[in-house]
Amino acid sequence: MRAPKLIKKLEKSTYHLLRRAGQFGADIYAVHKNPKDLTPRQFAVLLTVAQNESISQIGLVQKTGIDRSTLADLVKRLSDRGLLQRRRTKEDARANALRISANGRRALSSSQTAAARADAAILAALPVDRRKGFLADLELISMALNELGQNDGTKILRPTKVRQSRKAKAHSIELLTRK
């Protein structure tokens, strides 16, 4: 396997640019949220639970990308605030099934405007005809990270071209293990 290209200009670093875009979105969210609104991570957790009734914490880790220990603390705090309900599953007494409470739904609804404005601000930086492709590319990255699970540094991703349809180029992510 070839060594990756060295970064010579920070403004050409994919990681740096994604981090900056994420920070931009977080700043926009912070400007538009009320003091009692959810943080971006809390918003992600409640929205995911609202869309996946009785999801396990492991499922929540997979869908949000938040690491297990951070998520466990986040779920505990949201439960303590009455925004989430936890109960042990019948299948595994160690696993929690999560449900959003009525208070959680209100908090989620209250935070929707700030989240939507953050999304809109990020997309507004792009020409209209490139927004759909940008979102599709971010979704591919997210799916690849889900496939990786907990990356201990020994796994890397390599994009590979797949058969191309006439309408769009499709890509898949190949998971490799370093030797």
Side-chain angles (χ1 to χ4, degrees):
M1 179 182 354
R2 296 185 320 200
K5 287 184 180 181
L6 297 179
I7 298 169
K8 296 180 181 174
K9 293 185 177 188
L10 191 57
E11 62 271 13
K12 299 293 182 187
S13 166
T14 306
Y15 168 76
H16 174 73
L17 294 172
L18 280 171
R19 189 192 59 73
R20 293 253 342 236
Q23 185 59 52
F24 175 67
D27 291 347
I28 297 295
Y29 183 90
V31 165
H32 292 287
K33 82 180 202 71
N34 294 318
K36 292 184 180 182
D37 280 351
L38 304 167
T39 67
R41 279 189 175 179
Q42 291 170 337
F43 179 84
V45 167
L46 287 184
L47 183 60
T48 303
V49 173
Q51 294 172 342
N52 299 276
E53 190 172 319
S54 296
I55 189 170
S56 69
Q57 285 186 216
I58 292 170
L60 198 52
V61 165
Q62 293 167 342
K63 289 197 174 284
T64 64
I66 300 171
D67 68 88
R68 285 182 195 208
S69 59
T70 301
L71 187 79
D73 182 54
L74 195 53
V75 165
K76 181 185 181 325
R77 285 186 280 126
L78 290 170
S79 295
D80 291 347
R81 287 177 54 194
L83 304 178
L84 277 181
Q85 299 168 342
R86 294 187 290 185
R87 72 175 196 294
R88 296 291 180 191
T89 63
K90 293 175 185 173
E91 301 80 28
D92 183 351
R94 298 168 297 166
N96 284 317
L98 303 171
R99 295 184 66 167
I100 189 168
S101 68
N103 286 340
R105 287 192 190 285
R106 283 190 286 280
L108 184 60
S109 177
S110 172
S111 299
Q112 281 285 357
T113 300
R117 285 189 173 150
D119 279 3
I122 292 170
L123 290 177
L126 296 171
V128 174
D129 64 329
R130 294 182 57 188
R131 293 175 188 175
K132 226 180 224 183
F134 174 73
L135 286 171
D137 290 343
L138 288 177
E139 191 174 355
L140 277 176
I141 292 168
S142 181
M143 288 182 343
L145 293 173
N146 285 343
E147 287 179 26
L148 275 177
Q150 295 293 323
N151 186 356
D152 61 4
T154 61
K155 297 176 182 177
I156 59 171
L157 298 173
R158 183 176 75 198
T160 57
K161 288 189 178 180
V162 198
R163 290 185 182 208
Q164 296 177 354
S165 69
R166 291 189 329 212
K167 291 186 177 183
K169 294 180 181 178
H171 290 84
S172 69
I173 303 295
E174 181 180 327
L175 181 62
L176 301 174
T177 303
R178 275 196 202 137
K179 294 181 180 181

